[in-house]
Amino acid sequence: MPDSHDDVRPRTAILTRGFDPKHTFGSARPAVFRSSTYVFESPEAAEHAFAIIGGKIKPDNGERADLIYARFSHPNAEILEDQIVPLEAGASYAAVFNSGMAAIMTACFTYARPNSTIVYTTPLYGGTTGLMHSFLEPFGVRGIPVAAGDTEGIEKAIAAAQNCCIVYVETPANPTLTMADIERAAAAAATHPDKPVVMVDNTFLGPSFQHPLLLGADIVLYSATKYLSGFSDMIAGIVLTKSSDMIQKIRSRRNMFGNILPPDECWMLDSRLPTVQLRMNRQSKNAQRLAEALKGHKKLSAVYYPTLFTDPEQKRIFEKQCAFPGGIFSIEFAGGRPPAFDFLRRLRIARNAVSLGGVETLVCHPKSTTHSGMSPQELAESGVTDGLVRVSAGIEDWRDLLADFEQALASE
Ligand SMILES: *Cc1c(COP(=O)(O)O)cnc(C)c1O
């Protein structure tokens, strides 16, 4: 560990914390440590490391066990975990996973108990919905869904939940960007006798524009596949928290499941962190220019974007909770699926692909792809119509993107 860098701002700390060139022959960038196993200085040191990892002795605040075996941890995971912490306001600890779903499932399995309930906002990411319905419910963990934008409904659902283990919030929701009030959900959880753990999937606006840990959440979850890695070339997930007890519990599940992010991927993701804020700022500006320019287009019945919200509750949450509106927006074609598909076919710069958060603009038709597993009722409730197209703005020049969108909209 280098000297403490608590005295610098996050954008600086990302470059100064967590890695000391002295440990790698002076290399300016970390080496990649692919070793599966680590040599102990003495048999006593081995015993001590196992006692920590096995939970027999409590490490001092923040102390890590000596490295043992790369399924538990390895130097590139530790460097990445130390470097990512300053990016998430309010966080003290991180754990890295080999996908966003691995991070989500490990956090849920750490706190779910048989015969308990999870209150969650809808719509959720498809994989997370599947985890709730196909996996947790058969294990006796009942999911209680509540619409993301219904702040009072969320409070009531939490207050009424029996044996509640987790409150799970995803905001803004995909693909209509409906927002949930994190602070009110966390306050409701804090007064519940079961003290449910509040988790927020912050993939869409974090770490730059939304800070759930400052609003009372316990755990922040990421698909680092999206904005954090930013180039659509890797899969990764992160858990962040201010609680050393929580991170230890989650890491011990990760030891068991074997879903830590491997060294090469940690090294890659590590190199993307210093530019997250630069990329997200540009993506948010591009999305805002496009969404606002497309609003009112004669072929479109709606444009979904936080600066265009009309519902007073949604406006209130956005203004209170988010620093910027972010890089995602959705457009809805009045004519339904045929003009939406024509639009996707005609785009020349933006590419038709699922996923989001990369430096290149990606566009998809949620109803037939990312959201095709939803029931007709879930589709209707979450606003996923035949004419809906989701856009993840990249960092291209926005004027070229707007020209591309306009030509793809113009035909006939
Ligand atoms: C992509 C995504 C996930 C899942 O992440 P993976 O890295 O694909 O496992 C979870 N939540 C949200 C909001 C996502 O966009």
Side-chain angles (χ1 to χ4, degrees):
M1 282 290 282
D3 303 339
S4 163
H5 290 281
D6 293 345
D7 52 339
V8 296
R9 292 169 185 82
R11 272 177 283 186
T12 308
I14 195 72
L15 288 158
T16 57
R17 221 182 108 110
F19 166 62
D20 186 343
K22 283 207 282 289
H23 295 154
T24 53
F25 301 103
S27 67
R29 291 276 301 130
V32 179
F33 299 86
R34 294 211 186 88
S35 191
S36 60
T37 192
Y38 287 83
V39 176
F40 301 110
E41 288 196 1
S42 67
E44 291 78 13
E47 186 179 32
H48 182 73
F50 270 83
I52 291 182
I53 209 109
K56 289 192 187 126
I57 51 176
K58 274 229 170 256
D60 295 336
N61 217 8
E63 188 207 349
R64 291 182 193 263
D66 285 346
L67 292 168
I68 297 173
Y69 182 61
R71 197 181 76 237
F72 304 157
S73 195
H74 52 75
N76 294 96
E78 297 202 344
I79 292 167
L80 174 58
E81 287 169 357
D82 284 344
Q83 292 201 322
I84 202 163
V85 160
L87 277 186
E88 184 68 37
S92 303
Y93 308 97
V96 294
F97 290 86
N98 57 16
S99 69
M101 280 313 302
I104 292 166
M105 110 178 185
T106 305
C108 287
F109 289 4
T110 303
Y111 290 97
R113 304 178 298 266
N115 304 316
S116 63
T117 56
I118 300 184
V119 176
Y120 64 88
T121 58
T122 59
L124 287 182
Y125 178 72
T128 315
T129 312
L131 179 71
M132 300 287 174
H133 292 324
S134 317
F135 205 92
L136 288 168
E137 284 178 8
F139 270 76
V141 185
R142 193 164 64 85
I144 302 173
V146 50
D150 182 2
T151 307
E152 276 177 25
I154 295 170
E155 290 172 329
K156 284 188 188 135
I158 294 169
Q162 301 282 316
N163 202 4
C164 185
C165 58
I166 296 169
V167 170
Y168 190 100
V169 177
E170 183 178 319
T171 181
N174 179 11
T176 56
L177 304 171
T178 306
M179 294 194 173
D181 189 322
I182 298 168
E183 196 171 28
R184 295 262 294 266
T191 57
H192 194 288
D194 301 331
K195 295 279 177 290
V197 175
V198 179
M199 303 182 185
V200 177
D201 183 332
N202 207 29
T203 300
F204 268 39
L205 283 182
S208 302
F209 306 146
Q210 180 170 274
H211 311 301
L213 297 173
L214 300 184
L215 301 170
D218 299 301
I219 288 173
V220 168
L221 302 162
Y222 282 101
S223 169
T225 310
K226 314 294 167 54
Y227 287 102
L228 285 167
S229 74
F231 290 83
S232 304
D233 60 1
M234 64 179 296
I235 303 279
I238 317 267
V239 170
L240 291 128
T241 172
K242 52 193 149 194
S243 157
S244 79
D245 179 60
M246 285 185 180
I247 207 71
Q248 268 158 34
K249 287 202 173 92
I250 289 167
R251 284 185 187 145
S252 85
R253 293 293 180 281
R254 185 182 66 181
N255 295 345
M256 209 186 298
F257 298 154
N259 53 9
I260 191 169
L261 190 64
D264 293 275
E265 272 89 348
C266 285
W267 185 91
M268 275 174 75
L269 181 52
D270 196 49
S271 67
R272 309 293 172 74
L273 299 184
T275 58
V276 172
Q277 200 157 2
L278 295 173
R279 288 184 274 108
M280 288 189 80
N281 282 343
R282 174 73 163 265
Q283 286 162 310
S284 181
K285 282 184 180 149
N286 278 357
Q288 185 168 352
R289 282 170 166 143
L290 292 170
E292 291 176 1
L294 294 173
K295 188 182 157 45
H297 191 284
K298 64 179 190 312
K299 278 199 179 166
L300 301 178
S301 49
V303 177
Y304 295 100
Y305 193 65
T307 61
L308 303 174
F309 284 164
T310 51
D311 176 54
E313 178 61 359
Q314 287 296 300
K315 284 171 99 155
R316 183 190 69 78
I317 301 173
F318 168 57
E319 275 156 28
K320 167 175 99 155
Q321 187 161 289
C322 314
F324 284 92
I328 316 271
F329 65 97
S330 292
I331 54 180
E332 185 174 55
F333 285 80
R337 172 177 159 134
F341 273 36
D342 283 346
F343 173 76
L344 294 174
R345 264 191 288 272
R346 287 194 194 106
L347 287 168
R348 294 181 192 137
I349 296 172
R351 305 219 153 103
N352 180 200
V354 299
S355 198
L356 54 100
V359 290
E360 67 291 303
T361 298
L362 298 180
V363 180
C364 73
H365 182 253
K367 189 168 179 190
S368 58
T369 59
T370 51
H371 292 63
S372 57
M374 281 186 163
S375 69
Q377 191 196 341
E378 286 171 323
L379 289 168
E381 279 169 7
S382 40
V384 182
T385 59
D386 285 317
L388 199 73
V389 168
R390 185 187 72 191
V391 181
S392 166
I395 62 167
E396 304 91 339
D397 191 306
W398 70 275
R399 291 163 295 194
D400 294 326
L401 291 172
L402 184 58
D404 191 29
F405 278 56
E406 280 172 343
Q407 68 78 22
L409 276 159
S411 57
E412 283 135 89

